[in-house]
Amino acid sequence: MEECPCKEVKKLSNRLMSARLPEEFKDASLNSFDINVYDKPESKERAANAKRVAKNYVLKFEKMRDLGKGLYFFSQEKGSGKTRLAASILHAITKTHDTVYDKETKKYKPLKIIYSSTADLIGEIKSTFDSESKVKSTDIMDAVKTADLVVLDDIGVENVTKFVEETFTRILDYRLQYKKPTIITSNLSIEDLDTIYKSGRVSSRVEKLAFPVIMPNEKIRKKIAQKENEELLLELYE
């Protein structure tokens, strides 16, 4: 007997849900986002401002959801804390908002949050082109378009083709039209998205969807890893 395609769709949806966060960010929280891990005064200031914005976004999520507004974390430096902060917001909202009010049905429904790196998302969609795939590309697109909150990580690192640009334009256009909040991280400013998404359609939609938040241009991923290794060594040598 063949497995029902609906089961495959459910599995896919589960893989795209917030549980798919990278392992290193599974325990990320706003309280544990340490601005002192940055060395430069400018970096500390930017990190403090970003953390403040993130906390207020969680506190005012209902209003942000009604407005359909998200956040756009960006800095030129990789490993500067963008994904960690976005993951922290995701965790906080998941803990404080089990359900959301659906204006159409006038009932409360479970909050649906999706996290995906943009490269993984495109990979998932392309995988449906396989003749043996039981999942349609529209299943993935619909899941990302309609979720109550979507975190798109590292936009701009994917190999941009006409198909990729059209895919993100459709996703962002839907979320903009139906006021679906979207959190995005990138190594590019919103304006610089035009350097890879040539039509300007992606940047114009991101600009309306999300409030830009500049992050420090300083790597902290390596420092955090070193700190964790040092703490582990202390335990091993006890």
Side-chain angles (χ1 to χ4, degrees):
M1 295 179 64
E2 291 186 359
E3 187 175 14
C4 175
C6 61
K7 292 184 179 180
E8 291 294 327
V9 174
K10 187 174 182 180
K11 289 178 183 177
L12 175 66
S13 180
N14 289 338
R15 291 203 303 272
L16 286 172
M17 293 300 286
S18 57
R20 195 184 170 186
L21 273 170
E23 190 66 31
E24 63 177 312
F25 303 123
K26 286 284 179 70
D27 298 319
S29 69
L30 290 171
N31 287 334
S32 66
F33 186 82
D34 186 8
I35 65 173
N36 292 315
V37 73
Y38 298 93
D39 292 328
K40 303 173 184 176
E42 181 184 21
S43 296
K44 292 180 185 292
E45 183 178 354
R46 285 185 178 181
N49 288 335
K51 184 176 182 178
R52 187 180 305 113
V53 169
K55 282 189 171 182
N56 284 327
Y57 186 84
V58 173
L59 290 172
K60 300 176 182 179
F61 179 65
E62 289 294 340
K63 181 178 181 179
M64 296 298 105
R65 181 175 175 268
D66 287 341
L67 294 172
K69 290 294 183 181
L71 298 172
Y72 185 87
F73 295 107
F74 71 100
S75 71
Q76 296 177 349
E77 195 67 68
K78 296 178 181 179
S80 63
K82 299 183 288 292
T83 301
R84 180 174 292 275
L85 194 53
S88 299
I89 294 174
L90 188 152
H91 281 303
I93 290 177
T94 301
K95 290 179 180 179
T96 56
H97 295 79
D98 293 330
T99 59
V100 290
Y101 185 71
D102 190 329
K103 293 180 180 178
E104 293 184 6
T105 62
K106 295 182 179 180
K107 295 180 180 179
Y108 282 91
K109 65 176 185 179
L111 179 71
K112 184 179 180 182
I113 297 179
I114 286 178
Y115 165 90
S116 181
S117 72
T118 53
D120 284 347
L121 178 58
I122 293 300
E124 292 282 1
I125 294 172
K126 287 183 176 180
S127 70
T128 65
F129 300 159
D130 189 310
S131 60
E132 296 183 0
S133 175
K134 295 181 180 179
V135 180
K136 299 176 182 178
S137 61
T138 52
D139 295 326
I140 302 175
M141 292 284 285
D142 288 346
V144 179
K145 288 194 297 185
T146 62
D148 298 301
L149 175 63
V150 164
V151 178
L152 292 176
D153 195 23
D154 265 350
I155 191 170
V157 301
E158 63 280 355
N159 181 26
V160 177
T161 62
K162 185 178 180 180
F163 165 77
V164 171
E165 185 163 6
E166 181 62 29
T167 296
F168 280 123
T169 298
R170 288 169 59 193
I171 290 172
L172 297 173
D173 197 48
Y174 183 97
R175 297 191 65 77
L176 178 62
Q177 183 179 355
Y178 290 93
K179 293 186 175 181
K180 301 285 187 178
T182 310
I183 295 175
I184 303 171
T185 73
S186 181
N187 293 330
L188 301 169
S189 66
I190 295 177
E191 295 79 11
D192 286 342
L193 286 174
D194 288 344
T195 61
I196 58 171
Y197 290 102
K198 303 293 185 180
S199 70
R201 292 183 296 168
V202 170
S203 64
S204 64
R205 283 156 178 79
V206 169
E207 190 171 24
K208 292 179 181 179
L209 268 172
F211 178 78
V213 182
I214 188 167
M215 293 288 290
N217 283 321
E218 184 178 336
K219 286 185 179 180
I220 61 169
R221 184 176 295 157
K222 185 176 181 180
K223 295 177 185 176
I224 292 175
Q226 289 175 338
K227 182 181 178 181
E228 290 174 348
N229 287 338
E230 289 172 359
E231 291 174 351
L232 180 60
L233 280 173
L234 289 175
E235 289 187 24
L236 293 175
Y237 281 104
E238 282 182 350

